[in-house]
Each structure stands twice: as C-alpha cells, then as structure tokens.
Amino acid sequence: MAGLYIHIPFCKQACHYCDFHFSTSLKNKKRIVDAICKELVLRKGEISEEIQTVYLGGGTPSLLSETELNQIFEAIHQHFSVSKEAEITLEANPDDLVSVRALRQDSGQAPSRTIFETYKKTGINRLSIGVQSFFEEDLQLMNRAHHVEEAIQSIEWAKEYFNNITIDLIYGMPNMSNERWFQNLEKAFELEVPHISCYALTVEPKTALKTFIEKGIISPVEDEVAQAHHQILVEETEKRGFVNYEFSNFGKPGFESQNNLAYWQGKSYLGVGPSAHSFHGKTRSWNVANNVKYLKEMEQNKLPLERETLSKKDRYNEYVMTRLRTMWGVNLIEIEELFGKKYKDYLLQQAEIHFKNKFLFEENGQLKVSKKGKFLSDGIASDLFLVNLD
C-alpha cells in the first residue's frame, strides 16, 4: 500500500496557532501548481505499487480552482497507478465551500455544477472540513476565516454529495470550559459526521499565539485543561459508536481514514509540493519549506529536497512512536523480527514502570496504551525510545 500527499501552500489568512508552511499571497498559485505537476513527473519512479490514498492538504486546498484541481489530478493519473477504490481526500475550509456555492446560487443563472459536484468529478471522495470550533469566540481567538454558521452550512451541504466526511476540532484552548468542549462535540454528533479529528491546542514557536501568550494578551495553554477535554472526548465518542483508532482520530466503523492508517502503520508515501515529506521504510525526504526556492529549483528541473537514510535505531523509535498511538499498539513479535531480540527485551524493560502505573498493558502480543495512559502516549513512547543499545 502506498500513499500520495500533495501540499497546497496557500491560505487566505494566518491562523494564530498554525506553524505549517503556507503563504497568504496567491500570486504564485498557478506557478506552484505547475511545479507540483512537474514534481509528480520527476518523482514518478519513487512509487511502483498501486496508490491507495491521495491526500490534498496544506495550507488550504479548497483555494484551488477547478482548472488547477483538474491539472493536478491529470498529472497524478498520467504518471501513477491509482486504485479504483483509493481514498481521495481534500482539505477544505467552510468559508470556501459556502461562499462558492452561495455565489453560484445567487448569480441568477443555474451553474452546471456546485463546488461539491466539481470535487466529485475530479475523483475526490472524502472531504476534510476545518471547523476547529462551533463557537465564534474560539474562531476569533484562532483567527479563522470562517464563521460558525458557515461551518454548519458547509457540513450540511457537503453531506448532500459525500458520505465520507471528517471535521477537525481543537480542544484545550484558553478559556474553553469543559461544558463548551462538550457542546462542540454534541454539535458534531448532531450533524452526524462519521469521522472527527481532534487536536489539543499547542503553542508552537514563531506563531502569533506564542507571542500573544508571552505578552499576556491570551491566557496560557494548560495541560490539565487539555487532559480533561481529552477524557471527555474519549468518553463521548465511545458512547456515540466512534472508534478511537489513533490518538487524535475517531471514526465510525468503516470510516477510518485510510490515509491516517497508512501513516501510523508505517506505509510508504510520497509527498509533493513545498515542505512536503516522504517516507519509504528506510529513507525519509522533505522538500524545502519556501515557495520561491521551491519554484526556482523546480523550474530548473531540480528536486528541492533533502534525504536521509534512517538508522536501525531511528526506525525502531519511529515504529514505537507511530504504533503506540494506535488502538493496535506495538507488535512485540514484529519488533523482534524487524530489529532483533535485544530490541524487544529493551522495550519491555523500559515499559516496566508504565505497566506498574497501569499506563501500558500487553494483550495478545501487542503492547498497548491504557485509557488511563492515553493522553500521555507521546511521553510514554519517548520513554521507550532507544538511545544506545550497543
């Protein structure tokens, strides 16, 4: 199984918490799309197997025009073998989905297609809608471009055309009470979305959020609040029949993101576009996170990327980090087969303290995080990392 990720590095405005690579200037959008298509050609030899997932992320892929989307998908299908059953996801902002459809409806002339029909025509079969919160105060604090009404409307309209929809929500925000977080979840359940991705607000370097907190404009982010929200999240989604198959992802059975699963299960994927990362088992590469430099290199038919070969220790640590976040956990037999008995013995030795604290447990040869330890899973994984075994 292989995946393809396309990074679209443009946004209307900068969210205060975001440290992903993007530009709010759209003047180079066409050139970037041309360069992405060229990169697809130059790197087509990196994936020989059939592609099972295509993911357009960013940035804001819903800023792409129909022509630009068609150009990218034509390049994909011309140079790669894409499964007929492939999951093809596009990230979209509510304001883009609502404004385009509303504009077409109010134009006085019936459009040939709505934006959703356009997406379906390109082969997109899954929408990821960046809601973040159903409260206006939260959206303003995050500097989101949409309003609550647009978030609700975009989901309702999307459901007319897609049955596979996911939304993003953020918890652990300053001044977000447990009740407000509960109401966010209740609204998502009311809208009957089959998948929810939920992330704790983190304060990243060089973001507006960090500056505002340092200046006292916004209250600090508190781990205790995020942990309480996460517990509510796990309990309420379980009541509604969602499966928490990966720490941040909750899906109704059959609606688990194949793109997410491939990443957390260590499958190969090719990342195309500025700042995109790729992974092929024993190697990793990443493109330059600069639109101008990316364009300059691509227009000279050069790949603007760096590569590294992962050591055995790196591969072990990555395996532990990714698998421990999933409901399936770390396969102890696979650890021994891939890395050797010393690595498995080391893993179990490091895990001992977490067994005693009931943060970890073993079930049918799988090392898993308990409900008690789930919020601490990244920290637990770091305790299991290998520093030096020789």
Side-chain angles (χ1 to χ4, degrees):
M1 177 177 179
L4 180 60
Y5 173 77
I6 310 291
H7 188 80
I8 307 301
F10 298 104
C11 289
K12 287 180 180 176
Q13 61 191 49
C15 296
H16 288 161
Y17 58 87
C18 183
D19 70 339
F20 291 161
H21 170 65
F22 66 91
S23 170
T24 55
S25 170
L26 305 184
K27 66 178 182 179
N28 285 325
K29 186 154 69 86
K30 183 183 184 305
R31 290 175 64 199
I32 287 287
V33 170
D34 290 342
I36 284 173
C37 292
K38 180 181 285 188
E39 187 182 356
L40 286 166
V41 176
L42 293 177
R43 303 185 71 182
K44 62 183 180 181
E46 293 188 31
I47 294 184
S48 57
E49 55 191 305
E50 192 173 57
I51 289 176
Q52 299 291 336
T53 67
V54 179
Y55 195 99
L56 275 72
T60 312
S62 53
L63 289 176
L64 293 178
S65 67
E66 179 178 350
T67 299
E68 291 162 342
L69 273 175
N70 285 334
Q71 182 182 348
I72 290 172
F73 278 103
E74 285 171 8
I76 291 172
H77 288 288
Q78 183 176 352
H79 300 289
F80 297 87
S81 174
V82 181
S83 168
K84 292 181 180 178
E85 289 76 40
E87 176 191 270
I88 303 178
T89 304
L90 178 133
E91 289 184 351
N93 277 353
D95 47 307
D96 294 328
L97 299 178
V98 171
S99 63
V100 172
R101 174 160 169 168
L103 178 64
R104 290 179 173 179
Q105 287 183 333
D106 295 341
S107 64
Q109 295 181 345
S112 57
R113 292 188 301 276
T114 68
I115 187 65
F116 302 103
E117 288 171 314
T118 295
Y119 288 159
K120 293 198 74 168
K121 187 180 179 184
T122 63
I124 293 164
N125 52 33
R126 182 173 183 268
L127 284 185
S128 176
I129 304 177
V131 172
Q132 314 309 350
S133 176
F134 290 107
F135 286 88
E136 208 66 48
E137 303 96 306
D138 297 338
L139 299 179
Q140 291 172 4
L141 184 149
M142 290 185 278
N143 199 39
R144 295 292 293 171
H146 70 274
H147 298 284
V148 172
E149 294 81 2
E150 292 173 313
I152 295 170
Q153 188 67 81
S154 68
I155 295 169
E156 291 176 341
W157 280 345
K159 284 166 56 181
E160 297 176 18
Y161 299 88
F162 294 89
N163 67 342
N164 199 351
I165 296 170
T166 180
I167 65 171
D168 287 352
L169 293 175
I170 293 180
Y171 60 89
M173 294 180 57
N175 303 318
M176 177 184 275
S177 65
N178 289 352
E179 179 60 25
R180 177 179 288 188
W181 174 237
F182 176 81
Q183 290 176 22
N184 261 319
L185 292 173
E186 282 294 303
K187 191 62 182 180
F189 300 148
E190 178 186 319
L191 290 166
E192 298 183 318
V193 292
H195 188 282
I196 308 172
S197 294
C198 299
Y199 305 97
L201 183 67
T202 55
V203 183
E204 302 292 350
K206 300 179 181 179
T207 60
L209 177 62
K210 182 174 178 60
T211 300
F212 293 153
I213 290 175
E214 289 175 343
K215 292 183 177 181
I217 299 172
I218 294 176
S219 301
V221 174
E222 298 179 5
D223 287 342
E224 295 80 5
V225 172
Q227 188 165 5
H229 290 177
H230 182 262
Q231 184 175 346
I232 293 169
L233 168 64
V234 171
E235 292 173 353
E236 295 303 318
T237 51
E238 186 175 6
K239 289 177 186 177
R240 302 293 183 133
F242 287 80
V243 178
N244 183 200
Y245 63 95
E246 189 275 327
F247 179 82
S248 300
N249 289 282
F250 303 77
K252 291 291 185 71
F255 288 94
E256 300 87 350
S257 166
Q258 297 307 302
N259 175 78
N260 290 344
L261 285 174
Y263 175 76
W264 296 111
Q265 293 176 350
K267 307 298 183 183
S268 293
Y269 57 88
L270 175 65
V272 175
S275 80
H277 284 59
S278 304
F279 176 77
H280 297 294
K282 295 185 178 181
T283 62
R284 185 190 290 114
S285 64
W286 55 95
N287 286 352
V288 63
N290 182 294
N291 287 4
V292 174
K293 291 180 180 179
Y294 176 81
L295 285 172
K296 183 178 179 181
E297 293 291 294
M298 289 307 306
E299 288 170 355
Q300 296 178 26
N301 293 320
K302 298 178 182 178
L303 291 176
L305 56 78
E306 294 183 50
R307 298 184 193 270
E308 69 171 337
T309 299
L310 301 175
S311 67
K312 189 175 183 179
K313 180 183 74 174
D314 292 335
R315 288 185 282 117
Y316 163 85
N317 289 343
E318 184 147 329
Y319 181 104
V320 170
M321 179 191 73
T322 55
R323 303 309 197 280
L324 207 61
R325 288 178 62 102
T326 71
M327 62 183 289
W328 301 280
V330 173
N331 187 313
L332 296 174
I333 295 176
E334 198 167 45
I335 284 284
E336 185 168 353
E337 289 177 345
L338 291 173
F339 306 106
K341 187 175 183 301
K342 283 200 304 183
Y343 281 75
K344 186 184 81 169
D345 291 344
Y346 172 85
L347 173 67
L348 291 174
Q349 178 185 341
Q350 295 298 109
E352 191 62 37
I353 184 64
H354 297 300
F355 286 136
K356 291 180 180 178
N357 291 331
K358 301 189 183 303
F359 292 157
L360 287 177
F361 67 98
E362 184 182 341
E363 182 179 67
N364 299 323
Q366 303 286 133
L367 187 64
K368 301 180 181 181
V369 178
S370 66
K371 284 187 177 181
K372 180 180 177 182
K374 187 168 287 189
F375 185 75
L376 307 172
S377 58
D378 283 350
I380 294 170
S382 69
D383 290 341
L384 306 181
F385 285 173
L386 181 64
V387 178
N388 188 3
L389 192 59
D390 298 325

